[in-house]
Amino acid sequence: MGLLDNFERELERAVNGAFAKTFRSGVQPLEITNALRRELDTKAAVVSRDRILVPNELQVRLAPIDYEKMSGIGPALIDELTQLTQRHATAQGYQFAGPLGIRLREDDSLSVGIMTVDSRNLRGEVQWRPFVEIDGKRRELSGARTIIGRGSDADITVQDTGTSRQHVEILWDGSRAQVRDLGSTNGSKLNGNPLTKAPLQPDSVIQIGRTRIVFRVLPQSSTPEPFDGPDSTGGRR
């Protein structure tokens, strides 16, 4: 089974599992992800033998009813769409001119269930946003040092008696991360291996006690000039 087969399976599981119950008619989240992927494939430009450039600013225009349902999910939907689109680009060997940005826009000229995708290349400095997923909940790492444990003095508290009060720390310098066990009683694991101190790559899994912590990183785009058309709040410019 190839890489894209695995991607398809993970995409459907992640998007449908998180959002399917919310959307019973109209545009589905999986359809948006597939449309974004097709937009990259269609607009991919071979710049050199080892460089394929694709648009990094993507705008999904939706009918008012679909827009209201999708935007009601909040940042979680955009985060999932961004992460899955980024993974598709990586699998295909695509490169972006700047940070990847995905926006939803309302377009009252569209019927329910219909969407269009606009895209463009926009240069900019990439800023990365780190966060962890614990028990299905996402927590952003807001500082250079984040301590995780069961104590109230930890930055992120977990309800797990198998963990120490201050169990592990994650260090973040703006582009790279490192994880370190803080002398915990029961120890820690990184991707199944005993952990003392190690670089922390995106999508790595930290195990402390019975708690599974997934480390994620998403590109944070600067605020660009908007596309023509409705703005992201649902009104017209």
Side-chain angles (χ1 to χ4, degrees):
M1 184 172 292
L3 179 60
L4 288 183
D5 294 324
N6 291 331
F7 174 83
E8 289 278 1
R9 204 167 58 247
E10 181 178 358
L11 180 154
E12 187 168 1
R13 187 167 58 245
V15 178
N16 282 347
F19 305 113
K21 292 181 180 179
T22 305
F23 306 101
R24 302 192 183 278
S25 62
V27 170
Q28 302 294 316
L30 182 59
E31 293 178 295
I32 296 180
T33 308
N34 285 332
L36 292 169
R37 185 179 59 177
R38 286 194 301 271
E39 183 71 10
L40 295 190
D41 293 341
T42 301
K43 298 293 180 65
V46 178
V47 179
S48 64
R49 186 177 61 181
D50 57 354
R51 182 170 170 79
I52 304 175
L53 193 65
V54 290
N56 63 305
E57 286 290 328
L58 299 158
Q59 174 181 268
V60 181
R61 290 190 285 124
L62 302 163
I65 292 177
D66 288 328
Y67 174 83
E68 182 178 358
K69 290 180 179 178
M70 295 293 174
S71 59
I73 287 294
L77 177 59
I78 295 298
D79 285 350
E80 290 290 349
L81 294 174
T82 302
Q83 186 172 327
L84 292 169
T85 303
Q86 180 74 54
R87 289 184 186 179
H88 176 66
T90 300
Q92 296 292 79
Y94 297 154
Q95 297 181 32
F96 297 106
L100 175 61
I102 296 174
R103 295 159 181 261
L104 304 181
R105 298 289 176 122
E106 179 181 353
D107 188 337
D108 54 19
S109 70
L110 297 176
S111 301
V112 174
I114 303 298
M115 64 180 164
T116 62
V117 178
D118 304 317
S119 64
R120 63 181 178 177
N121 283 305
L122 187 68
R123 293 186 177 275
E125 182 180 352
V126 177
Q127 296 180 339
W128 299 96
R129 181 161 57 98
F131 57 91
V132 292
E133 293 175 358
I134 304 174
D135 296 331
K137 296 181 180 179
R138 181 169 295 174
R139 297 286 299 273
E140 186 168 357
L141 307 184
S142 57
R145 180 174 186 253
T146 301
I147 296 175
I148 303 174
R150 64 178 173 83
S152 59
D153 53 345
D155 298 305
I156 297 178
T157 302
V158 296
Q159 303 301 318
D160 184 344
T161 57
T163 64
S164 297
R165 294 183 60 83
Q166 295 191 355
H167 200 110
V168 293
E169 68 173 3
I170 296 176
L171 305 177
W172 173 255
D173 68 0
S175 60
R176 296 180 301 274
Q178 184 179 86
V179 60
R180 183 168 71 96
D181 184 273
L182 298 175
S184 64
T185 301
N186 296 325
S188 308
K189 290 184 179 181
L190 177 62
N191 297 324
N193 300 311
L195 167 67
T196 301
K197 180 180 179 181
L200 185 59
Q201 300 298 326
D203 301 326
S204 293
V205 178
I206 305 165
Q207 188 78 34
I208 60 172
R210 298 182 302 277
T211 301
R212 184 174 183 268
I213 304 167
V214 183
F215 177 69
R216 308 283 196 193
V217 178
L218 287 176
Q220 177 71 59
S221 61
S222 56
T223 303
E225 289 296 319
F227 285 89
D228 291 335
D231 66 27
S232 57
T233 63
R236 295 219 174 246
R237 290 194 295 114

